[in-house]
């Protein structure tokens, strides 16, 4: 916790001078220190009932004997999340409900969680600055409150969108001030049930620390996959690129890319969505000689359906629709790529060495004999030689692609297993590969009774889109998604422990009232002389 707070303070010092409208006094640490005290005071006021209630358990496992068992293991405190905060918010929500035997795991080191300091190459978040959700209704935990404490209200009013670095600083502060338990440098390799025939037997989780360390085992009753976009499948590079271009000549936008090495070079980007233009403007700002964005469509996407979905009714109750309505709604949603934000597009287009090629689907790629360049042939002909290709072709949702789910993937129900479109409506394979989730993001069995343990694994990632709409798949949906997940987990824990809890309740006989009647006999007061 102290390490996270120290890192947040360091980032504070690095970025505070860049905020327009902020006075020197507002930028000082005094404002944030006072705000932290306000958060702590509000947490104290909201702490009732303040006792933990989940009984400790031990795992019965031949590999380790009776090892301590976490109530909830949360995979992803940033590294796995495109939004970079889902795991932290899940942990806080559980802690508020007095489920405190929880742990978040993240593969990266502190300050490197999530995409914000790695492969997120936009300047600001795309989401409106007023977003809420991680706060669970506590105003002092909102980004706006944090920002105003650091920079003042006037600076907030002048702010358009949230700079990505400031969002990362806010997440580090959130983690620190709430005391969320996070174990960094830990990769989850495998999740498997301890008792495959039981819904409450718990899990053995194989992890690896420090990159090349020996595998270690953790145990948990519930597992939350707060693993963002890629956590439901994998980033996608079309086969014709993988099969025809040397690996050193291309990278997906989700990967580390040395843009500094592209100074003066000719760069081609495939894709017309927001990420393509994020990478284009970033490459140009790093000194790329030319950047060309190639788009299959004749026009760039202009409509962002997420904006129409961002109202309380839709975000809260999409999951209550019947399956046919969900399927039709997500089928429409998937027809759209997320367009670039206007500021990102304008930032890229302002460079004279930027070019946009619409209606230019790549048809063939020819590496040069020396392996240093690639010739691109598009639907419009020979586009010339390029020094590097950046692939912005999104991701595939399919839980079978996740290595950590190899032991359980075959038993997970998908939309293809559970739903058949009505007559006249075509199937959409992109939807069919999504897991068919329960109301609290829990996996469901492909064959009833074959894998009951799946109800204790929660897919709080982009693969929840088809079943629960804008939820773990978008930052704006977190306000309504987080309570559904937290309530589902606590409900499951309570029902599993109900026999013991009820037995303790029936045996409870601790006196609360200590009054005595008839009142005790006492001597009359002595007569005065």
């Amino acid at each position: 916790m102290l390490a996270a707070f120290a890192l947040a303070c360091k980032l504070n010092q690095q970025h505070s001078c860049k905020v327009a409208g902020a006075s020197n006094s507002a930028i000082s640490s005094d404002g944030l220190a006072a705000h932290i005290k306000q958060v702590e005071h509000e947490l104290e006021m909201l702490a009732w009932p303040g006792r933990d209630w989940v009984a400790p358990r031990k795992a019965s496992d031949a590999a380790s004997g009776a090892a301590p068992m976490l109530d909830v293991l949360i995979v992803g405190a940033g590294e796995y999340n495109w939004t970079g905060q889902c795991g932290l918010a899940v942990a806080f929500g559980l802690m508020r409900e007095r489920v405190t035997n929880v742990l978040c795991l993240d593969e990266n080191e502190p300050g490197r969680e999530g995409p914000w300091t790695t492969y997120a190459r936009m300047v600001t978040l795309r989401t409106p600055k007023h977003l809420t959700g991680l706060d669970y209704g506590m105003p002092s935990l909102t980004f706006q409150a944090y920002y105003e404490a650091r920079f003042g209200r006037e600076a907030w009013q002048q702010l358009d969108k949230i700079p990505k670095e400031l969002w990362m600083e806010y997440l580090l502060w959130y983690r620190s001030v709430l005391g969320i338990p996070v174990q960094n440098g830990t990769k989850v390799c495998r999740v498997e049930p301890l008792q495959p025939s039981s819904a409450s037997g718990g899990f053995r989780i194989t992890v690896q620390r420090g990159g090349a360390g020996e595998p270690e085992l953790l145990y948990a009753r519930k597992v939350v996959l707060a693993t963002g976009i890629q956590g439901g499948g994998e980033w996608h590079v079309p086969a014709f690129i993988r099969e025809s271009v040397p690996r050193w000549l291309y990278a997906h936008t989700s990967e580390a890319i040395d843009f500094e090495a592209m100074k003066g070079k000719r760069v081609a980007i495939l894709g017309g969505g927001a990420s393509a233009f994020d990478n284009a403007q970033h490459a140009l700002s790093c000194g790329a000689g030319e950047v060309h964005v190639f788009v299959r469509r004749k026009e760039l996407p202009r409509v962002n359906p997420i904006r129409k979905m961002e109202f309380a009714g839709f975000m809260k109750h999409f999951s209550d629709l019947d399956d046919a309505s969900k399927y039709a709604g997500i089928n429409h949603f998937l027809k759209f790529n997320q367009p670039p934000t206007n500021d990102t597009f304008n930032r890229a287009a302002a460079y004279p060495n930027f070019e946009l090629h619409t209606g230019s689907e790549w048809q063939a790629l020819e590496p040069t004999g020396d392996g240093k360049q690639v010739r691109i042939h598009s639907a419009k002909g020979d586009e010339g030689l390029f020094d590097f290709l950046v692939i912005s072709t999104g991701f595939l949702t399919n839980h079978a692609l996740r290595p950590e789910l190899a032991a359980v993937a075959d038993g997970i129900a998908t939309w293809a297993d559970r739903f058949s479109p009505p007559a006249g409506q075509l199937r959409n394979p992109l939807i069919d590969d999504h897991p068919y989730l329960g109301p609290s993001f829990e996996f469901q069995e492909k064959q009833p009774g074959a894998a009951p343990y799946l109800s204790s694994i929660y897919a709080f990632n982009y693969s929840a889109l088809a079943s629960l709409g804008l939820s773990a798949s978008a930052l704006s949906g977190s306000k309504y998604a987080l309570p559904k997940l937290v309530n589902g987990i606590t409900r499951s824990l309570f029902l599993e422990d109900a026999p013991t809890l009820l037995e303790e309740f029936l045996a409870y006989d601790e006196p609360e009232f200590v009054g005595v009647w008839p009142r005790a006999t006492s001597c009359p007061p002595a007569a005065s002389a």
Side-chain angles (χ1 to χ4, degrees):
M1 177 172 138
L2 292 176
F5 184 69
L7 187 56
C9 291
K10 181 179 179 181
L11 290 168
N12 184 341
Q13 294 170 357
Q14 292 173 349
H15 294 285
S16 60
C17 60
K18 302 177 183 179
V19 177
S23 65
N24 291 332
S25 59
I27 294 174
S28 73
S29 59
D30 292 345
L32 193 57
H35 186 64
I36 290 172
K37 291 182 178 180
Q38 175 66 24
V39 172
E40 293 171 345
H41 180 57
E42 291 181 9
L43 289 171
E44 289 176 1
M45 290 191 290
L46 296 172
W48 190 89
R51 58 187 174 118
D52 296 351
W53 55 271
V54 184
R57 285 196 186 186
K58 290 186 178 294
S60 298
D61 184 25
S64 63
M69 182 177 277
L70 294 161
D71 293 329
V72 185
L73 179 70
I74 301 164
V75 185
E79 183 275 331
Y80 295 95
N81 301 314
W82 172 246
T83 47
Q85 69 285 312
C86 290
L88 298 177
V90 172
F92 174 52
L94 290 168
M95 292 160 67
R96 276 169 55 91
E97 298 299 324
R98 304 310 303 171
V99 178
T100 58
N101 183 23
V102 303
L103 178 65
C104 296
L105 300 182
D106 195 276
E107 187 172 0
N108 281 334
E109 296 305 317
R112 299 285 292 174
E113 304 95 338
W116 309 116
T117 59
T118 54
Y119 64 85
R121 300 181 181 105
M122 71 280 278
V123 175
T124 66
L125 272 65
R126 302 175 189 135
T127 325
K129 70 175 183 178
H130 297 91
L131 60 93
T132 60
L134 313 187
D135 48 89
Y136 288 90
M138 279 184 59
S140 63
L141 284 177
T142 62
F143 178 81
Q144 179 177 351
Y146 166 81
Y147 191 92
E148 289 184 358
R150 283 185 61 180
F151 307 116
R153 183 163 296 182
E154 182 182 350
W156 171 257
Q157 292 172 346
Q158 293 186 23
L159 181 68
D160 179 25
K161 293 180 180 177
I162 301 173
K164 62 173 184 173
E165 292 85 1
L166 279 174
W167 181 252
M168 183 65 199
E169 294 168 31
Y170 164 68
L171 295 179
L172 287 169
W173 173 82
Y174 180 95
R175 166 181 167 178
S176 173
V177 76
L178 295 175
I180 296 171
V182 178
Q183 181 172 300
N184 286 89
T186 305
K187 180 181 178 65
V188 174
C189 303
R190 187 176 179 87
V191 177
E192 51 192 329
L194 289 170
Q195 301 175 30
S197 61
S198 172
S200 59
F203 299 91
R204 178 193 306 113
I205 301 96
T206 304
V207 303
Q208 189 174 48
R209 302 183 69 175
E214 290 295 319
E216 300 177 17
L217 296 179
L218 295 174
Y219 298 90
R221 293 177 63 177
K222 310 292 178 184
V223 175
V224 177
L225 304 174
T227 45
I229 288 181
Q230 67 271 40
E234 67 180 11
W235 296 107
H236 175 57
V237 175
F240 81 94
I241 297 176
R242 299 196 309 268
E243 295 167 0
S244 61
V245 179
R247 192 64 183 88
W248 60 86
L249 288 181
Y250 76 89
H252 192 277
T253 54
S254 65
E255 298 178 293
I257 301 176
D258 185 4
F259 283 99
E260 294 297 327
M262 297 182 196
K263 289 183 178 180
K265 301 292 182 67
R266 204 163 186 249
V267 179
I269 299 178
L270 177 63
S275 184
F277 288 88
D278 291 339
N279 280 265
Q281 61 86 26
H282 184 71
L284 289 162
S285 71
C286 291
E290 295 179 21
V291 172
H292 296 246
V293 172
F294 291 86
V295 183
R296 173 176 51 85
R297 302 183 187 202
K298 293 183 179 180
E299 292 186 3
L300 288 177
R302 295 186 178 277
V303 176
N304 185 355
I306 292 178
R307 297 290 90 89
K308 185 62 176 177
M309 301 162 79
E310 289 175 329
F311 63 92
F314 201 104
M315 291 190 290
K316 187 172 185 177
H317 297 296
F318 177 88
S319 59
D320 298 320
L321 293 172
D322 61 85
D323 285 353
S325 297
K326 289 182 185 179
Y327 200 93
I330 298 304
N331 185 54
H332 176 75
F333 175 84
L334 293 177
K335 293 177 182 178
F336 297 85
N337 282 338
Q338 186 174 12
T341 59
N342 291 310
D343 54 341
T344 296
F345 175 81
N346 292 334
R347 194 175 292 115
Y351 286 88
N353 47 344
F354 170 81
E355 291 291 341
L356 174 62
H357 306 260
T358 57
S360 300
E361 181 179 4
W362 287 1
Q363 296 183 340
L365 302 173
E366 297 178 6
T368 56
D370 59 7
K372 293 183 178 180
Q373 291 180 303
V374 178
R375 183 175 297 278
I376 296 176
H377 296 274
S378 78
K380 292 184 177 180
D382 185 353
E383 303 287 357
L385 291 170
F386 290 85
D387 299 294
F388 197 80
L389 312 182
V390 177
I391 313 304
S392 182
T393 47
F395 59 95
L396 297 175
T397 296
N398 185 336
H399 59 265
L401 299 173
R402 299 304 309 169
E404 66 272 14
L405 295 180
V408 302
D410 290 345
I412 297 173
T414 66
W415 273 78
D417 298 319
R418 295 292 186 90
F419 177 73
S420 295
Q425 183 178 348
L426 297 176
R427 299 206 72 104
N428 185 331
L430 296 178
I431 300 177
D432 291 345
D433 285 341
H434 283 66
Y436 188 92
L437 301 179
S440 300
F441 297 87
E442 69 272 26
F443 283 134
Q444 300 201 58
E445 302 168 290
K446 188 184 295 286
Q447 298 295 332
Y453 60 85
L454 287 171
S455 63
S456 290
I457 305 178
Y458 301 82
F460 199 64
N461 53 39
Y462 207 92
S463 69
L465 175 67
S467 298
L468 290 107
L470 285 186
S471 49
S473 60
L475 181 55
S476 52
S478 62
K479 177 177 180 177
Y480 302 99
L482 285 164
K484 292 178 184 178
L485 172 65
V486 171
N487 292 342
I489 294 173
T490 57
R491 177 181 183 274
S492 182
L493 289 169
F494 178 81
L495 292 178
E496 289 174 8
D497 290 354
T500 299
L501 294 172
L502 288 173
E503 182 181 356
E504 293 174 350
F505 169 69
L506 294 175
Y508 179 75
D509 61 356
E510 182 178 334
E512 179 176 333
F513 175 67
V514 295
V516 178
W517 191 266
R519 63 174 63 93
T521 303
S522 59
C523 297
S528 56

